[in-house]
Amino acid sequence: MINKTLLSIIFILGVVTTIRAQKTNPFGKPLIPDMIADASIQQINGTFYCYATTDGYGKGLKSSGPPVLWKSTDFVNWRLDGIYFPSAVKELYWAPSKVVPANDKFYIYPTVNGYMYPAVADRPEGPFILARGKDEWFKPYTPSTLLQIKKPDGIDAEIFVDDDKQAYVFWNRRHAAKLMPDMITVDSAIQVISTPRTQYSEGPIVFKRKGIYYYLYTLGGDERYQYAYIMSKVSPLGPYIFPKTDIIATTNYSKGVFGPGHGSVFNVAGTDNYYLAFLEFGRGSTNRQTYVNQLKFANDGTIMPMELNLDGVGALAEIKKRKQLQIRNIYASSTTRPQNIKPMKDTLLVREEYFTPNFAIDGANGSRWMATNEDRDRWIIADLGKTVSVRQSNIYFVRPTAGHAYILETSLDGKSWQKHGGHSQIEMQSPHVDPLNIKCRYLRIKILDGVPGIWEWNLYGGNKE
């Protein structure tokens, strides 16, 4: 008989072979066509809101994108809804919490330049300003921090409001405290939640279901990110019960999921359907994307370990049906060469990312077309196969938070082109929507400014499906 050691070796070799053999899209179907991490997702008046760290700026923890909000009514079609915290645009902006309604206002608690700050607005879309002191920034931290102590260290604030309206704040290294009714004063009785696993922890998640409080905390980082949990029937501050099987989210080699970490738990209004949003290590460092899988509970309330995947959960509300046109062929002025993703701690993470034009029309959100840096033309052409009515073009550019300028042209024969959309000035949005209402066979995007790449390009016909 084959012993267990040999079986393990065969399994690992199989995993390595599978990962090395990936020549298409190893990143699956992330929620949003952009690089985001630390996502806080919630549903407000029938609309899904996603506040997150914007990744993909290429300098690790020395850079971040601006504070932007993604919104969706169906959980499939997302739009970037603009800057919601204007004064923080040029700061290192990470790990915003969900927004919390209180005192006829909305509060949010991002980590800015490495410290937690409370901010307030009249609407969940903002604009937010610092809730304490002047709405200004200087490093390492200003007097407006959430923690009003000599050294206000702390990141990754998570706010939980109980049924009795008492608010609590949780942050890294298992810290927790009550929040005063003003929503910006932390009770001086700060405690550290006891957990059976004692590794470094950040990205706490707290929620309540059927009378049980759940405290989720991360372990490790990079490819070895995990989520563990404890539970209580008494209070968000415990005492807590330690479930025997407490690791609920971890690397899944068979599904190509590495390092599932800092995210959020949310449920769909009026249902008992709960979901975990998590970042995945992806392309290394701060080049991550966010995925969503459904949480399942046993009859005793314990969380069932998740077999994570990169497939997504699809629509969570009625989806707007539009006739999406099939693109028969797509080609571009250039395609950047494949990129090898190098592991940091787990040598089984061996990925190769390709950037061919067909990735701009695969509907996956995790793959993209990229032109070369040397390309001065930077165009991509979609061939519909025949002349048809085209009603609208939606373009999701790579690194949308830095803005793009482009021209959208159409043609009947692929030789003579007419401009029908785009804009010459840089605009930050996603998708860029161009109403067309014309007949054509070919469409061409010329990128004038911004990162020369496209996550997704959707074309719609004149009639609903």
Side-chain angles (χ1 to χ4, degrees):
M1 294 181 65
I2 301 176
N3 61 36
K4 291 183 179 180
T5 301
L6 183 55
L7 284 172
S8 298
I9 293 172
I10 292 172
F11 170 75
I12 292 173
L13 288 174
V15 169
V16 173
T17 301
T18 300
I19 295 171
R20 287 186 182 279
Q22 291 172 329
K23 298 296 184 183
T24 52
N25 167 27
F27 304 106
K29 297 180 178 180
L31 181 64
I32 286 170
D34 193 17
M35 292 184 187
I36 65 168
D38 313 325
S40 288
I41 298 175
Q42 63 195 115
Q43 191 178 22
I44 303 174
N45 296 327
T47 297
F48 294 98
Y49 287 65
C50 178
Y51 304 88
T53 301
T54 299
D55 272 6
Y57 273 68
K59 296 181 181 179
L61 295 178
K62 295 181 180 180
S63 65
S64 74
V68 295
L69 169 63
W70 291 85
K71 293 170 63 175
S72 174
T73 57
D74 55 29
F75 213 68
V76 171
N77 297 292
W78 291 85
R79 70 180 187 273
L80 191 157
D81 212 45
I83 300 292
Y84 66 84
F85 199 159
S87 71
V89 166
K90 295 182 179 181
E91 309 304 316
L92 295 176
Y93 194 91
W94 301 314
S97 65
K98 298 176 183 179
V99 296
V100 182
N103 307 323
D104 296 322
K105 301 284 186 179
F106 289 88
Y107 295 83
I108 196 167
Y109 303 82
T111 296
V112 185
N113 300 324
Y115 297 87
M116 300 179 295
Y117 287 85
V120 65
D122 293 325
R123 304 166 59 243
E125 293 84 0
F128 282 83
I129 61 173
L130 284 171
R132 178 186 285 119
K134 295 182 179 180
D135 190 33
E136 63 181 20
W137 304 93
F138 51 84
K139 298 178 181 179
Y141 55 86
T142 79
S144 300
T145 53
L146 178 62
L147 299 178
Q148 292 290 293
I149 54 180
K150 185 175 181 180
K151 191 176 181 182
D153 291 286
I155 63 172
D156 298 354
E158 166 86 348
I159 309 300
F160 172 76
V161 181
D162 208 351
D163 300 332
D164 62 0
K165 306 304 181 184
Q166 174 63 58
Y168 300 81
V169 57
F170 301 82
W171 63 100
N172 71 317
R173 298 184 186 275
R174 302 169 179 81
H175 288 93
K178 289 183 178 181
L179 266 181
M180 297 295 102
D182 65 3
M183 299 302 291
I184 66 173
T185 303
V186 178
D187 191 314
S188 60
I190 295 174
Q191 70 179 66
V192 177
I193 294 178
S194 177
T195 59
R197 300 178 188 270
T198 58
Q199 300 100 304
Y200 171 76
S201 176
E202 57 187 28
I205 298 173
V206 180
F207 68 99
K208 186 179 184 180
R209 174 187 178 270
K210 295 185 177 181
I212 298 176
Y213 301 94
Y214 297 87
Y215 174 81
L216 280 61
Y217 59 104
T218 65
L219 301 169
D222 304 317
E223 304 102 316
R224 295 180 181 175
Y225 238 157
Q226 297 176 304
Y227 257 116
Y229 84 106
I230 52 180
M231 54 196 290
S232 173
K233 295 183 179 180
V234 180
S235 160
L237 299 178
Y240 276 94
I241 301 167
F242 301 162
K244 182 178 180 181
T245 304
D246 65 330
I247 299 291
I248 58 168
T250 191
T251 290
N252 185 340
Y253 293 111
S254 66
K255 299 292 185 180
V257 180
F258 288 85
H262 191 172
S264 60
V265 168
F266 65 97
N267 84 302
V268 177
T271 75
D272 189 41
N273 296 327
Y274 283 77
Y275 299 87
L276 173 69
F278 60 93
L279 64 83
E280 199 264 349
F281 192 66
R283 298 159 179 84
S285 186
T286 53
N287 297 293
R288 303 159 294 185
Q289 289 191 282
T290 289
Y291 300 79
V292 175
N293 283 191
Q294 188 168 4
L295 277 176
K296 297 289 187 179
F297 300 86
N299 291 335
D300 62 359
T302 54
I303 301 175
M304 301 173 67
M306 306 175 72
E307 186 180 358
L308 296 179
N309 62 69
L310 304 179
D311 300 332
V313 295
L316 297 183
E318 184 177 355
I319 192 168
K320 181 180 179 181
K321 290 185 178 284
R322 293 179 290 182
K323 182 181 179 182
Q324 187 165 344
L325 298 174
Q326 183 176 357
I327 297 173
R328 300 293 180 179
N329 190 23
I330 189 163
Y331 46 97
S333 56
S334 67
T335 298
T336 195
R337 60 180 57 89
Q339 178 181 350
N340 290 312
I341 310 299
K342 296 181 179 180
M344 292 184 67
K345 295 181 180 178
D346 189 338
T347 56
L348 293 183
L349 173 59
V350 180
R351 285 173 169 165
E352 191 168 19
E353 182 174 11
Y354 291 80
F355 302 95
T356 53
N358 62 293
F359 283 142
I361 59 171
D362 65 356
N365 288 349
S367 54
R368 52 188 168 154
W369 162 70
M370 295 288 293
T372 64
N373 292 331
E374 299 77 24
D375 189 352
R376 294 295 176 262
D377 295 322
R378 310 201 309 178
W379 54 255
I380 186 169
I381 292 176
D383 177 3
L384 298 172
K386 61 181 180 180
T387 299
V388 298
S389 295
V390 183
R391 182 180 182 182
Q392 184 172 298
S393 165
N394 288 9
I395 309 168
Y396 296 85
F397 287 110
V398 174
R399 201 183 296 170
T401 52
H404 284 81
Y406 69 100
I407 297 172
L408 179 62
E409 301 171 305
T410 66
S411 174
L412 293 171
D413 59 8
K415 298 177 181 178
S416 177
W417 296 88
Q418 293 80 42
K419 180 182 176 182
H420 281 285
H423 41 79
S424 58
Q425 72 280 10
I426 293 178
E427 294 184 8
M428 187 203 73
Q429 63 188 81
S430 191
H432 289 257
V433 178
D434 290 290
L436 296 173
N437 296 317
I438 61 168
K439 289 187 176 181
C440 65
R441 173 173 172 174
Y442 302 92
L443 296 98
R444 178 169 66 186
I445 299 169
K446 286 185 175 180
I447 301 175
L448 305 178
D449 207 339
V451 174
I454 295 174
W455 288 109
E456 297 295 335
W457 184 13
N458 298 328
L459 298 173
Y460 299 97
N463 299 314
K464 294 182 178 180
E465 291 181 329

